[in-house]
Amino acid sequence: MRLMVNGQPFLVRGGEIGNSSATSPAYLAPFWTKFQGLHLNTLIVPVYWDQIEPEEGSFDFATVDQLLGQARQAHLHLVLLWFGSWKNSMSCYVPGWIKENVARFPRTCDLEGRRQEMLSPLSEENQQVDSAAFGSLLRHLRETDGALHTVLLVQVENEIGMIPNARDHAPEANRLFAGPVPADLAAYLRSHRETLAPELARAWTAAGARDSGTWTEMFGAGLQTDEIFMAWHFARYTDAVAAAGKREYPLPMYVNAALMRPGYRPGQYPSAGPLPQVFDVWRAAAPHIDLLSPDIYFTDFARWARAYHTSGNALFIPEAKPGPEASVNAFFAFADQDALGFSPFAIDSISGAPQKYLTDSYRVLSELQDVIVAHQGDGSMAGLMPDGPEQLQPRLVQLGGFQLLATFEPQPHAAAIELENPNAPPAAPLPAGGLVIALGPKEFLIAGTAMHVAFSSLEPGLTAGLLSVEEGDYVNGRWQPLRRLSGDQTNQGRFVRLEGGKFSIQRVRLYTY
């Protein structure tokens, strides 16, 4: 899957604003210059159900229209987040006429039978009013933006999941849980048995790999089965909402996931969202969802990015931790995992070092977009980044007949700090990482910060050397060298070095002897 704008492939250099920042266009107005200065090409913004449908069947799209106008004036695209039935598990953005009518719009219940601030995904009534509202929004977008394509993607709901219990314990939920597994899910398991997620495959196989039965008969008793049950119902509900929208305006749509910490059990995290262990349930139940996307706030960014770049699922990261590391995480996502887009959260609040590094990172990525797009998916490109700040081991990559050893330098040079201010406190670690692209025989592009890259030949008996190293920029898609590097800047020809504290691009030609 590729995102296209005006017939050309497009990579989302995004930023997601805070949850309440789009409630008033007047509040957001002063930030657009900041967004442009960050080199964003896309802003990720919420649309609030309670705001656009204050009375049932009566819609007010004034804030949406003003947002579209502001984005066009700033020459930015939009990704819209539908804050509908669920936002971070809870139903805080549903209209008041829903909140106040519990009899018509049922909630989930905890183990003691107490209602929760969470609409039940098992309710046909809940699903129908959400679908009607979402369909109206997409119809309005088609009528007002169908020719301009300001909006690229739409997120359906937000960080769906059950918490603090792994499943709904309302009477209707208990009845369905004691009933048969839907035939559609059973058929999916049979037809995809060789490629099922390991956790789902183990549960199904341990219970006898049955073709039919109740939820506990097919998957065993326990919290894992509770999660599978709820994943099916959340996914079916979300798919119905997405289908209603696509009937009006078939934009690409995705669902995002709040991730889980190692060792956490269902209910300790927002269970049953589009997490890796229930990917197959979501795929079986939600064919109108184009992407399953991770919100990555953990330090093991590379692991989670790889987990969501799987067969049949392109990687799109709508939320990421907005710290200094976001600047190199973006490089890794685009270069190593062929991502469609990357977006730190709370972009309107970003400041200090995170803002400085992200601005510089996005500047370089904007220059490299066409080069990256041309090499995504063909095996000629790799991300260079530690797996986590505590794991700074060098990374080995094989490209174009050579082995590359990337070493990361997150600590500022002590000598430079001493000269500038001998009494300065210890400096914060620098972001470190980047990308490498094999441009042709013995020619490479390296971009990033705070790392050095050494080359060795994969051909026995040959040694690789640096024939030339140029630092420069891409201007209107063409390489413009600024200076030729050698001597101290390449450790006397031993490796390519990208200085920490800034992002840069170098083109390297090798020779062998």
Side-chain angles (χ1 to χ4, degrees):
M1 178 180 177
R2 282 199 187 277
L3 293 179
M4 306 295 289
V5 172
N6 297 324
Q8 298 298 316
F10 185 85
L11 300 178
V12 171
R13 298 189 310 277
E16 180 177 334
I17 63 174
N19 291 164
S20 300
S21 298
T23 55
S24 168
Y27 172 84
L28 202 55
F31 291 96
W32 291 94
T33 301
K34 177 180 181 177
F35 301 149
Q36 291 173 309
L38 284 163
H39 297 280
L40 270 64
N41 60 17
T42 306
L43 196 67
I44 300 184
V45 298
V47 174
Y48 314 98
W49 187 4
D50 58 350
Q51 196 167 33
I52 70 166
E53 193 180 9
E55 298 179 9
E56 186 172 4
S58 179
F59 293 95
D60 181 356
F61 295 110
T63 55
V64 175
D65 291 340
Q66 292 178 67
L67 184 63
L68 288 169
Q70 289 177 333
R72 291 167 189 155
Q73 189 172 10
H75 304 290
L76 293 176
H77 290 279
L78 295 175
V79 172
L80 298 186
L81 314 178
W82 175 236
F83 281 9
S85 290
W86 304 287
K87 195 277 174 195
N88 291 72
S89 299
M90 300 295 110
S91 298
C92 52
Y93 283 101
V94 302
W97 51 270
I98 291 177
K99 290 181 178 180
E100 294 175 337
N101 195 341
V102 179
R104 181 182 169 196
F105 304 110
R107 310 299 198 267
T108 62
C109 292
D110 65 14
L111 278 165
E112 286 72 39
R114 293 175 301 221
R115 290 171 176 160
Q116 299 171 292
E117 191 63 37
M118 189 184 304
L119 288 183
S120 169
L122 284 62
S123 166
E124 185 76 13
E125 191 78 5
N126 291 346
Q127 178 260 300
Q128 286 180 353
V129 291
D130 192 336
S131 296
F134 188 67
S136 296
L137 170 64
L138 269 291
R139 184 186 316 120
H140 183 77
L141 289 177
R142 171 173 51 80
E143 293 169 351
T144 58
D145 193 51
L148 297 174
H149 305 294
T150 311
V151 178
L152 301 175
L153 286 158
V154 180
Q155 176 182 293
V156 190
E157 314 300 344
N158 185 84
E159 292 190 352
I160 291 167
M162 288 298 298
I163 197 168
N165 302 130
R167 76 166 176 89
D168 183 6
H169 290 272
E172 176 64 8
N174 290 336
R175 184 186 70 80
L176 289 171
F177 187 73
V181 170
D184 289 352
L185 179 55
Y188 182 96
L189 296 173
R190 289 194 301 273
S191 62
H192 294 80
R193 70 169 61 232
E194 301 301 324
T195 59
L196 294 175
E199 301 90 342
L200 182 63
R202 281 195 297 268
W204 182 46
T205 303
R210 297 167 59 110
D211 290 338
S212 64
T214 67
W215 292 90
T216 53
E217 287 171 344
M218 285 194 64
F219 301 108
L223 296 177
Q224 183 179 17
T225 301
D226 289 351
E227 181 171 41
I228 295 168
F229 170 78
M230 291 306 300
W232 174 263
H233 288 287
F234 274 126
R236 292 299 292 168
Y237 185 114
T238 307
D239 188 66
V241 175
K246 286 197 170 186
R247 284 193 292 270
E248 298 292 345
Y249 187 24
L251 286 172
M253 296 183 186
Y254 70 95
V255 181
N256 65 328
L259 305 180
M260 58 188 185
R261 296 182 184 277
Y264 275 36
R265 292 162 60 81
Q268 293 178 313
Y269 57 86
S271 307
L275 291 158
Q277 67 268 23
V278 289
F279 272 179
D280 294 291
V281 180
W282 274 84
R283 287 169 171 161
H288 294 93
I289 298 298
D290 300 289
L291 301 167
L292 305 177
S293 297
D295 294 347
I296 308 179
Y297 290 87
F298 299 145
T299 56
D300 51 349
F301 179 90
R303 180 176 76 86
W304 283 110
R306 294 183 185 113
Y308 277 79
H309 184 209
T310 63
S311 176
N313 192 66
L315 180 63
F316 179 72
I317 302 171
E319 286 187 44
K321 184 179 179 182
E325 64 270 31
S327 59
V328 294
N329 289 345
F331 273 77
F332 182 85
F334 289 124
D336 205 82
Q337 298 299 309
D338 300 334
L340 306 178
F342 174 85
S343 174
F345 180 63
I347 199 70
D348 44 329
S349 301
I350 196 171
S351 62
Q355 179 176 356
K356 170 186 179 295
Y357 292 124
L358 186 67
T359 300
D360 206 18
S361 167
Y362 272 10
R363 174 189 62 79
V364 170
L365 287 169
S366 69
E367 294 182 25
L368 294 178
Q369 169 166 298
D370 292 346
V371 183
I372 292 172
V373 166
H375 289 270
Q376 279 188 331
D378 69 1
S380 63
M381 179 168 59
L384 304 176
M385 188 183 75
D387 281 341
E390 307 86 7
Q391 302 166 344
L392 295 176
Q393 293 90 347
R395 184 170 185 205
L396 281 172
V397 173
Q398 293 185 1
L399 286 179
F402 294 88
Q403 180 169 273
L404 291 69
L405 177 66
T407 306
F408 307 103
E409 299 180 326
Q411 296 301 326
H413 285 288
I417 295 173
E418 181 74 19
L419 287 172
E420 291 178 7
N421 184 359
N423 300 315
L430 302 172
L435 59 79
V436 58
I437 304 173
L439 298 176
K442 299 183 181 179
E443 185 173 8
F444 294 83
L445 180 151
I446 300 174
T449 184
M451 63 179 182
H452 52 77
V453 181
F455 293 85
S456 57
S457 176
L458 293 175
E459 190 171 341
L462 289 181
T463 298
L466 301 179
L467 186 61
S468 65
V469 180
E470 292 179 337
E471 182 180 58
D473 294 295
Y474 277 86
V475 180
N476 297 322
R478 300 189 64 178
W479 175 246
Q480 299 290 332
L482 295 177
R483 59 175 178 161
R484 192 160 176 138
L485 304 178
S486 191
D488 292 345
Q489 283 67 50
T490 63
N491 198 18
Q492 325 313 321
R494 293 182 178 90
F495 52 73
V496 175
R497 180 173 182 271
L498 280 74
E499 183 180 344
K502 69 174 186 177
F503 284 79
S504 59
I505 310 171
Q506 297 183 21
R507 286 185 63 146
V508 182
R509 293 174 61 211
L510 305 179
Y511 73 103
T512 56
Y513 58 94

